[in-house]
Every structure is written in structure tokens, then in C-alpha cells.
Amino acid sequence: MRYVARLTFSGPISIGSGDSSQGDSFHGVIHSDTLFSAIANEWAKTFEDEVPLDLLVERLNGSYPPFRISSAFPYFGGDYYLPTPLGSSPIYHEKLRDVPFLGLFDFMELAVGNEEYLRKRPLDDQLTDIVSPFVVPRVTIDRFTASTNIYQTSGHRFKPGGGLYFILEVNDEAIGKKLLSCIELLGGSGLGGERSVGYGRFTTEFIETDQLPGWNDVLNQSPEGASHWYSLALCCPRDHGEAKLARAYNLLTRKGWILSHSSMKQMKRRQCRMFGEGSIFNGAVHGMVAEVTPKDFEGEHRVYRYGIALLLQIKRG
């Protein structure tokens, strides 16, 4: 079963790229490892006694994972946007290099090799029509001297009708029901920073892909002559053989602080590097959930980074 999970935010969000090479601004994506970490925290609070998180990760790293998730990308009304595939073909350099997202149906045309269709299409950065940045002043007051310090924080608001969505592929019905519950609970907790003042909260609508035009076609298509695979999620290769399959890619350094409901320790996770969304591979890769527990945190619990690919088959790399 596959779902499009539509997130409708009730207020602003504060989410950075999580990668120093991209700066700290919001680029319209919540990476799949960030989504998984937030969901896993809800899982540990709710279902740890039934299915321990370590056992769930072991199953995810098996040959048939109980579920896969993509990163979250923008939608507006009934239009869904996917990251532009990376590449070296002429159309990429002529027209697609500076276009971060393609609409679903434009992506389908590219996937089957219909480049002339895209050459005639006006393509631009749709993100500016969906989300807008803002800066607000804040103040801190010293509890002893009552002196004040003014500073600014930034965030983004989605315009009415806009939000983020991700693809959820469920292969185990029992696990899937628990997963959907965790995502709904996460909506009340929020995603990103400034959650204590209400940022990042959302409601979720789960829509089966066969109820939405185009989605089953793009997820199931195998174009004639297709020889490449495109990932909708971050991918942490499980071995050197998978890494060698990368053809056109973005490498992201994933790092950050540990968020744990069961430990008060404030520590940074070990870094790892992953192939970014939109990367192209010469063959099907699986990826893995990597353990990134820092040495001084080992007595608490294990810490993970989700890096399982969610692939679509395309004709050109």
C-alpha cells in the first residue's frame, strides 16, 4: 500500500537544511532522515514495548523493509512537486539546472525521455509561490538584572492551499497502522525548531496513491529503455557496491543534535554522508539505516540515521 501523506501546517515552520554546504535556510524539503527521527521518537514513546525501535531498524535494514518513506516536498492545491533529477544531459544544463522542483506530470514526461515537451514548457522556481519567509523580533530578559536582549528569529509560512507531502510505502499492515498513528501524534508535537512557541505543527491527510491522478503511473512505470533509478529520499549506501552505482548525485553531510525523550544528555550525533534526493543510480540500491551513536552516549540508547532509498525508474540519467 502506498500513500501520499499531505501535511497542512497550522502555523509557521523553522527548518534549516541540516547541511553546511547548503546554508541554514529552508529549501522546500524536509529530508527523510529528519522525518524518520521525529517519527522514531514518537514510536519510542508509544510502541517501544510492542516493537522495540532496535528491532524495527533491524527489519528496515532487511531485504524487505516493513515500510519506506520519502523526503517531504511541496504541494499546492492538487499540484505535487518532485526534486528535479540531477544529470549531465543537454536539457539539464540548458533548462533544469536552476529549477529545484518539477510538477508531477512534467516529471513523468522527463522520466520517459520526452525532453522536447519540457523544452517548450515555461519552468521556474515554484517554491516562491508556495512558501514565504519572515523574520520576527524576540527578547530575552535576565532573571537577575531584568536587562533585555533583543534578537531575531526567522521562519516560513505556507500560503493557503500549500504544504508538504511525502510518499509512504507500507509493506507490513500491522507496522503500517502504528506508523500512521505516530505521524498523527507527531503533528501535535511539530517538526523543526521553535516548537515551544507552536511552530511546525500540522494535520495529516493520508491518501492512497490510486486515488490521485498520476501517482500510480509514476511509481509503477518502467519506461521502455529505462536503465536508471531516481531516489525520492536520502540514500546511505550499505556497501561500496551500492555507492559505485551512483551516476549523478549530490552528497549531503548529515549531522546535528540528538533528540531523545528518554535521555537528558545533549550531544551531537556522529556525522555521515548520504546521496541527496534527485540522485540518479545505474541500478537499484537499497540503502540502510545507519547507526550514528556517539561514544559517550552508548549507555543511553542507540541513535540512527534513516538512509533507505525510495526509487523510481526513469529513462535518462
Side-chain angles (χ1 to χ4, degrees):
M1 182 74 70
R2 293 192 184 104
Y3 300 91
V4 171
R6 285 169 54 110
L7 311 183
T8 302
F9 290 87
S10 57
I13 62 171
S14 177
I15 295 176
S17 67
D19 180 69
S20 57
S21 66
Q22 295 187 336
D24 199 34
S25 59
F26 179 55
H27 295 274
V29 175
I30 298 180
H31 297 298
S32 52
D33 61 346
T34 300
L35 274 176
F36 178 80
S37 294
I39 294 169
N41 210 38
E42 297 295 336
W43 185 285
K45 289 188 287 187
T46 310
F47 298 114
E48 180 69 17
D49 292 339
E50 299 177 47
V51 183
L53 187 59
D54 291 341
L55 177 60
L56 181 65
V57 169
E58 184 179 329
R59 291 192 59 191
L60 286 168
N61 280 331
S63 57
Y64 193 66
F67 65 86
R68 289 186 177 92
I69 60 173
S70 74
S71 297
F73 310 113
Y75 76 83
F76 191 76
D79 297 324
Y80 297 88
Y81 298 94
L82 294 80
T84 300
L86 301 173
S88 57
S89 62
I91 191 171
Y92 179 77
H93 291 286
E94 292 168 14
K95 197 159 186 179
L96 300 181
R97 177 189 288 273
D98 298 321
V99 179
F101 299 101
L102 290 176
L104 176 62
F105 294 99
D106 289 336
F107 177 88
M108 291 172 65
E109 295 294 336
L110 183 63
V112 298
N114 190 358
E115 295 182 358
E116 288 306 313
Y117 170 85
L118 291 180
R119 282 193 171 93
K120 299 174 184 177
R121 288 273 292 163
L123 300 175
D124 52 21
D125 185 357
Q126 300 91 347
L127 189 61
T128 56
D129 297 325
I130 300 172
V131 64
S132 57
F134 67 90
V135 176
V136 294
R138 295 279 176 81
V139 61
T140 59
I141 303 176
D142 189 285
R143 68 175 68 183
F144 298 109
T145 67
S147 61
T148 59
N149 179 42
I150 297 176
Y151 65 101
Q152 291 182 326
T153 62
S154 61
H156 288 77
R157 289 189 179 93
F158 287 96
K159 297 177 181 178
L164 298 174
Y165 78 94
F166 64 94
I167 302 300
L168 172 61
E169 177 188 287
V170 175
N171 301 312
D172 182 310
E173 185 176 350
I175 294 292
K177 288 181 179 178
K178 293 179 172 62
L179 184 66
L180 267 58
S181 296
C182 287
I183 295 169
E184 290 177 336
L185 290 169
L186 178 60
S189 303
L191 282 166
E194 304 287 339
R195 294 190 302 275
S196 62
V197 293
Y199 283 31
R201 294 178 184 174
F202 60 87
T203 57
T204 312
E205 181 182 10
F206 298 103
I207 309 171
E208 294 181 18
T209 53
D210 58 7
Q211 303 299 313
L212 293 170
W215 270 113
N216 268 5
D217 294 332
V218 76
L219 291 169
N220 297 325
Q221 71 178 358
S222 180
E224 183 179 352
S227 58
H228 300 100
W229 297 85
Y230 156 100
S231 184
L232 279 169
L234 296 184
C235 176
C236 181
R238 58 173 55 189
D239 54 38
H240 187 58
E242 284 198 344
K244 287 175 66 176
L245 289 173
R247 177 184 177 93
Y249 54 86
N250 218 357
L251 281 177
L252 303 183
T253 300
R254 306 301 292 152
K255 56 185 180 180
W257 294 89
I258 295 170
L259 172 64
S260 172
H261 81 282
S262 61
S263 174
M264 297 299 292
K265 278 190 175 182
Q266 293 291 304
M267 298 189 67
K268 287 189 174 182
R269 289 176 272 198
R270 288 190 291 120
Q271 294 184 18
C272 63
R273 303 192 79 189
M274 298 192 189
F275 294 109
E277 302 90 352
S279 294
I280 305 296
F281 299 88
N282 284 332
V285 296
H286 186 283
M288 68 174 183
V289 181
E291 185 181 346
V292 291
T293 313
K295 184 176 181 180
D296 293 338
F297 198 82
E298 291 175 352
E300 304 294 320
H301 59 75
R302 294 178 184 174
V303 182
Y304 299 103
R305 277 282 190 193
Y306 182 88
I308 295 178
L310 199 160
L311 301 174
L312 306 180
Q313 198 166 10
I314 65 174
K315 189 169 183 178
R316 291 181 180 268

